């Protein structure tokens, strides 16, 4: 079982979360051509090492987060809110909830 | 073997006599006994029969590694097979039975297998029964099918009850700063050291009492009770009868707590076992070490056990296991026991495989008045059902040679010790071979985890204390406390070096020497595997099944490795070790399932109208996690009668249906319209306030995700409904979009599925029903609430409600939502009105019939492989705006003309029935996947015959007026059908709009 430090709730069992996908994908604009969407939706690396992935704290605060996880060891290196604005607000706040 | 219960000593209560039954005979032990010690004290020697050869087996150990005394505990449905007698605590009335033997373990007909042993050697099953391609169905497989039953009967362990498990189990969750596994000297000192600094410590012990290896030593030498009191005084949380069976990511440990397995009459409210998920910030494994056997002739005979086992029986249970004892060792550890057994009145001889031993050890032998032979080892045991004599071998150069025989009734073996590195192995850490200590010691890990005591290869008691202390200090430092000063003791600690000893044999003598007694794997099997080309230890394991029995190789793995290394001319570390995986000891399936059985197997969702539906005579069914009304039978009605009546009544007058389970999402904020316009494939930008629209959303890849209606309530607020099945998925997707892709949109989405109770009011008289229930009847007039109109108003009694005139049934219909708590009251009012108009309540079955008649799609059709065109809704999709899925739905394959398209299906002979799940095929081509499939069928009350929905290549236009076969080979057979438009009833929607 993974234990994921949710930036909002603290460390919780992974069973409270649901896996999203590859967090390094930049989704193209809706009007972008099919080729760009094919790249974003289907072309994925199978990373042996540290990868960025999105998870949702489904049975918790329901926030989407970006987890930096090593696929070989399951070690989690960092976690931040997927929403950039929230991530920077949290980074600036005096006492962020974080457990590593 | 003549075992004797001593008059004093041990951790047993001599005042409490405990009766139990062994193979139908009543015997007695004491409180504090294990089943094994009680059987031993009662001089029961043959306790089991071996897996393949049915050889008599007795106690080989005193712990979890036991491979001989596997018994069945309990009776009837409470029967538990393959229980190690060594780990079963004795209780009054315990019923135990020998297994794998008929009629009993003492007289077993199956032992004839022993004579045919060569037929059951390694790979026997593979060689005899595996057919080789292309003759797979030739002799091999055929023979297997013929003989499987016989072989399974002859070779096997105990049998489980066939009835449902009558016991109940629990899951529990826990947290701590430090988990200490094992309560021996190292574990106790680790727990105490850490708890003294204020850490929250849990100490788990698999046995019923604390002590670990201390229990194997004479009581006078320790102050165990005081130490345990000290642990409790500093607040260590102690869990006995609890095995840490697995270590997982993030400091999570799986614990199995045996709550009532030691009780004669467990209270019914207690679970039999508890499966704990424990999250520890740091873990110290003080799991000890297991003493190894040595392979020699008939080394599996009853009366042969590990040297430490005899010490446990003597010091913990006050049972002297024999009178005339031979101790065979290759290390120092057996000498303390020799002295203690001699003190207890036994005569002791020692065979030490080492050529030279330290003087202090020699002196210990002298104190025990034991005859000591160095450079000597056991060669072959005599005696059919228990050892009576032993052939001895003596070392000569690199070989052994026969060197006499001695009588004995108990042979104790110490082939060295293997640290229990299993839990560390669960974390992917490979153990490291220590050639000096002849064992695997723990490898390095970066996780917050330390090994302590003999689990780290530390043999000496005092060093174990320090080892535990040092591990605890590392935990304290890791958790932010002070730096410790205790140096970690190095592995080892014996006075004389161990001489590796795995097998004793002399040239030219055929011996039956067991490596893995539980699976009857012999030294010859290992060598045979090597001769047949097996060089990898993993392959060896699978070919011989070495280490694959219930003990998972605790007894035999190292011997097997050593033999393989010898055969390959390599060193043990070059051959490698197999990876230990959870569980460390067997875990019952019941404990893993906990209370998640029967009705608790998964969550159950009930609508606020649940009780109302039941009182109204509804029969419920499961729809996903939801309990929904299926049909409302009147007396004498079958389900078929009921749903046909309900559908007919709804089309004739009016019907009410609980639709609360639909997903409901509040979409609020200035950019709500923009969000909807991006996620729905059809236009939403110009939906007026007070109107609802049916929308279809696609996934990124262009396939249909879900459909539903969304109601425009005010400038910045919408009320979205989704299908019951996809409510969660749609909600999570909206959240993902807003938090990851469209972070600039000022929209908030809230799931309000639980907040609103929903009722569909459908049928020609639906408006009259509403008129009688709203405070202002004019509000629901056709002018005020036209098709797709939305209204927020109040029902009689000032109940706020939302009404939209939308239809799933194809009739003039409304969906009415009220705050959940008002659901039953409003249902009362609606039903009173509907009943007065000869209306009805309808359930899922009638709902299905009505929607199939109309060709409306649901989850059965929108299965994730369907495009919007496939569902016949392509004309709804906008070409004027981009939306989720708009780019990829234009891929060439998704625009293919011959994709399966939604169609309606009639039986050619209208009296015929056909099934959902059938394939649609062209006549004469009933093969493969056919041309399509059927997703839903119903008897159509409106049309008077069976109809269906499905998909077929090219759709209606391709198959119109052509013969099609509905193929259902397993159930019904073939039915001739015709393909029609999916809009099978009122295709122009006059009833709905009118
Ligand atoms: Zn959270």
């Amino acid at each position: 079982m993974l234990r994921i430090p949710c930036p909002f709730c603290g460390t919780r069992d992974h069973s409270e979360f649901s896996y999203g996908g590859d967090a390094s994908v930049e989704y193209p604009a809706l009007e972008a051509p099919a080729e760009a969407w094919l790249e974003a939706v289907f072309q994925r690396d199978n990373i042996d090492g540290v990868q960025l992935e999105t998870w949702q704290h489904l049975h918790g605060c329901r926030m989407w987060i970006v987890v930096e996880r090593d696929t070989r060891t399951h070690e989690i290196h960092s976690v931040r809110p997927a929403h950039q604005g929230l991530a920077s607000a949290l980074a600036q706040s005096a006492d962020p909830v974080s457990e590593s | 073997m003549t075992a004797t219960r001593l008059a004093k000593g041990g951790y047993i209560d001599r005042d409490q006599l405990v009766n139990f039954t062994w193979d139908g005979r009543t015997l007695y032990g004491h409180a504090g006994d294990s089943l094994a010690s009680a059987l031993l004290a009662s001089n029961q020697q043959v306790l089991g029969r071996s897996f393949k050869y049915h050889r008599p087996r007795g106690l080989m150990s005193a712990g979890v590694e036991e491979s001989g005394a596997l018994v069945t505990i309990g009776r009837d449905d409470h029967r538990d097979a393959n229980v190690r007698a060594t780990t079963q605590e004795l209780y009054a009335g315990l019923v135990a039975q020998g297994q794998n033997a008929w009629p009993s373990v003492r007289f077993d007909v199956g032992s004839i297998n022993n004579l045919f042993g060569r037929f059951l050697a390694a790979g026997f099953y593979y060689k005899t029964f595996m057919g080789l391609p292309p003759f797979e169905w030739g002799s091999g497989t055929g023979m297997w099918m013929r003989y499987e039953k016989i072989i399974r009967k002859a070779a096997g362990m105990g049998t489980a009850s066939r009835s449902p498990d009558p016991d109940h189990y629990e899951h529990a969750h826990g947290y701590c700063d430090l988990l200490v596994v094992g309560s021996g000297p190292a574990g106790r000192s680790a727990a105490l050291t850490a708890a003294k600094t204020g850490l929250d410590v849990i100490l788990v012990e698999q046995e019923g009492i604390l002590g670990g290896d201390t229990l194997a030593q004479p009581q006078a030498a320790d102050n165990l009770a005081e130490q345990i009191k000290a642990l409790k005084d500093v607040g260590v949380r102690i869990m006995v009868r609890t095995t840490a069976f697995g270590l997982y990511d993030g400091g999570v440990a799986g614990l199995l707590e045996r709550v009532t397995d030691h009780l004669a009459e467990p209270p019914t409210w207690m679970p039999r076992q508890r499966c704990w998920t424990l999250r520890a910030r740091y873990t110290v494994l003080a799991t000890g070490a297991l003493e190894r056997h040595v392979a020699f002739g008939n080394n599996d005979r009853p009366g042969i056990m590990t040297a430490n086992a005899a010490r446990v029986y003597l010091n913990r249970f006050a049972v002297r296991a024999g009178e005339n004892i031979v101790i065979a060792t290759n290390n120092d550890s057996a000498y303390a026991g020799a002295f203690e057994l001699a003190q207890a009145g036994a005569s002791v001889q020692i065979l030490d495989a080492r050529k030279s031993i330290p003087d202090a050890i020699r002196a210990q032998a002298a104190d025990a008045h034991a005859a000591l032979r160095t450079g000597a080892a056991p060669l072959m045991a005599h005696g059919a059902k228990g050892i009576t004599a032993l052939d001895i071998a003596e070392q000569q150069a690199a070989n052994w040679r026969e060197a006499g025989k001695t009588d004995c009734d108990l042979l104790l073996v110490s082939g060295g010790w293997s640290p229990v590195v299993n839990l560390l192995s669960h974390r992917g850490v490979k153990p490291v071979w220590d050639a000096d200590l002849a064992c695997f010691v723990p490898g390095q890990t970066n996780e917050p985890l330390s090994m302590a005591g003999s689990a780290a290869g530390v043999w000496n008691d005092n060093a174990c204390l320090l080892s535990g202390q040092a591990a605890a200090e590392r935990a304290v430092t890791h958790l932010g406390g002070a730096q410790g000063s205790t140096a970690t003791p190095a592995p080892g600690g014996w006075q004389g070096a161990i001489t590796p000893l795995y097998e004793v044999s002399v040239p030219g003598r055929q011996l039956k020497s067991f490596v893995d007694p539980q699976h009857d794997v012999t030294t010859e099997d290992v060598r045979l595997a090597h001769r047949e080309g097996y060089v990898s230890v993993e392959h060896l394991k699978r070919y011989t099944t070495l280490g694959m029995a219930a003990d998972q190789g605790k007894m035999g793995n190292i011997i097997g490795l050593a033999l393989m290394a010898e055969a390959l001319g390599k060193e043990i570390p070059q051959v490698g070790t197999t990876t230990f995986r959870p569980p460390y000891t067997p875990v019952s399936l019941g404990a893993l399932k906990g209370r998640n059985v029967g009705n608790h197997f998964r969550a159950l969702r009930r609508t606020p109208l649940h009780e109302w539906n039941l009182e109204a005579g509804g029969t419920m069914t499961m729809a996903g996690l939801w309990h929904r009304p299926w049909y409302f039978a009147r007396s004498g009605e079958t389900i078929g009668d009921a749903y046909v009546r309900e559908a007919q009544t709804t089309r004739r007058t009016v019907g009410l249906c609980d639709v609360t389970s639909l997903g409901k999402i509040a979409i609020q904020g200035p950019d709500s319209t923009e969000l909807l316009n991006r996620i729905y494939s059809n236009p939403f930008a110009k939906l007026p306030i007070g109107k609802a629209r049916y929308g279809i959303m696609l996934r990124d890849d262009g396939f249909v995700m879900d459909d539903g209606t969304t109601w425009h309530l005010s400038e910045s607020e919408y009320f979205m409904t989704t299908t019951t099945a996809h409510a969660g998925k749609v909600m999570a997707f909206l959240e993902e979009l807003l938090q990851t892709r469209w972070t600039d949109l000022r929209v908030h989405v809230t799931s309000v599925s639980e907040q609103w109770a929903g009722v569909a009011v459908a049928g020609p008289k639906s408006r009259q029903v509403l008129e009688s229930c709203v405070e202002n009847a004019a509000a629901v007039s056709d002018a005020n609430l036209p098709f797709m109109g939305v209204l927020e108003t109040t029902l009689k009694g000032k109940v706020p409600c939302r009404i939209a005139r939308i239809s799933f049934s194809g009739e003039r219909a409304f969906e009415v939502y009220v705050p959940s708590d008002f659901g039953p009251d409003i249902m009362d009012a609606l039903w009173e009105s509907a009943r007065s108009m000869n209306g009805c309540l309808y359930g899922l079955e009638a709902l299905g019939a009505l929607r199939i008649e109309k060709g409306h799609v649901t989850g059965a059709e929108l299965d994730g492989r369907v495009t919007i065109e496939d569902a016949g809704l392509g004309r709804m999709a906008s070409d004027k705006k981009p939306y989720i899925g708009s780019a990829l739905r234009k891929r060439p394959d998704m625009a293919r003309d011959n994709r399966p398209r939604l169609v309606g299906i009639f039986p050619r002979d209208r009296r015929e029935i056909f099934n959902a799940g059938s394939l649609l095929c062209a006549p004469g081509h009933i093969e493969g996947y056919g041309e399509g499939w059927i997703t839903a069928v119903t008897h159509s009350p409106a049309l008077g015959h069976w109809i269906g929905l499905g998909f077929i290549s090219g759709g209606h236009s391709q198959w119109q007026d052509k013969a099609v076969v509905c193929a259902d080979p397993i159930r019904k057979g073939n039915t001739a059908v015709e393909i029609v438009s999916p809009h099978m009833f009122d295709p122009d929607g006059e009833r709905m709009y009118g």
Side-chain angles (χ1 to χ4, degrees), chain B residues 219-240:
Chain B
Q219 278 182 61
D222 81 279
N223 50 353
L224 186 58
E226 276 169 44
Q227 290 184 31
I228 293 169
K229 184 176 180 302
L231 289 171
K232 288 178 178 163
D233 287 348
V234 286
V236 173
R237 291 193 272 160
I238 292 168
M239 297 174 73
V240 292

Side-chain angles (χ1 to χ4, degrees), chain A residues 1-3 13 20-21 27 30-35 37-38 41-42 54 56 58 62-65 73-74 82-84 86, chain B residues 173 175 248-250 252 277 279 427 678 700-701 728 731-732 735-736 738-743 882-884 886-888 891:
Chain A
M1 163 144 56
L2 292 176
R3 298 268 290 156
D13 291 354
Y27 283 90
L30 290 177
E31 57 272 23
E35 289 71 26
W37 274 96
L38 270 174
V41 173
F42 294 108
T54 56
Q56 187 186 18
L58 200 73
R62 295 201 62 96
M63 297 306 288
W64 281 83
I65 57 178
T73 62
H74 287 186
H83 193 291
Q84 261 317 327
L86 278 172
Chain B
H173 294 267
Y175 300 82
Y248 306 90
D249 294 306
V252 173
T277 305
R279 298 139 190 95
R427 302 302 311 130
R678 289 186 194 181
D700 281 328
D701 63 5
M731 181 67 193
E735 288 166 325
E736 179 181 5
L738 290 170
Q739 290 180 42
T740 66
R741 294 195 214 171
W742 302 335
T743 52
Y883 50 88
I884 289 283
S886 62
L888 292 184
R891 283 179 286 162

Side-chain angles (χ1 to χ4, degrees), chain B residues 385-435:
Chain B
K385 287 178 182 170
I387 188 168
T388 54
L390 178 70
D391 287 346
I392 297 171
E394 215 168 45
Q395 186 125 41
Q396 188 189 43
N399 283 324
W400 295 96
R401 66 165 187 198
E402 297 188 37
K405 183 175 180 180
T406 183
D407 289 342
C408 63
D409 69 346
L410 179 67
L411 171 61
L412 305 180
V413 181
S414 180
W417 291 77
S418 294
V420 176
V421 295
N422 300 49
L423 290 169
L424 187 66
S425 185
H426 298 174
R427 302 302 311 130
V429 180
K430 286 213 177 304
V432 181
W433 181 253
D434 185 322

Side-chain angles (χ1 to χ4, degrees), chain A residues 6-10 17 57 60-63:
Chain A
C6 172
F8 304 97
C9 309
F17 297 80
H57 196 185
C61 61
R62 295 201 62 96
M63 297 306 288

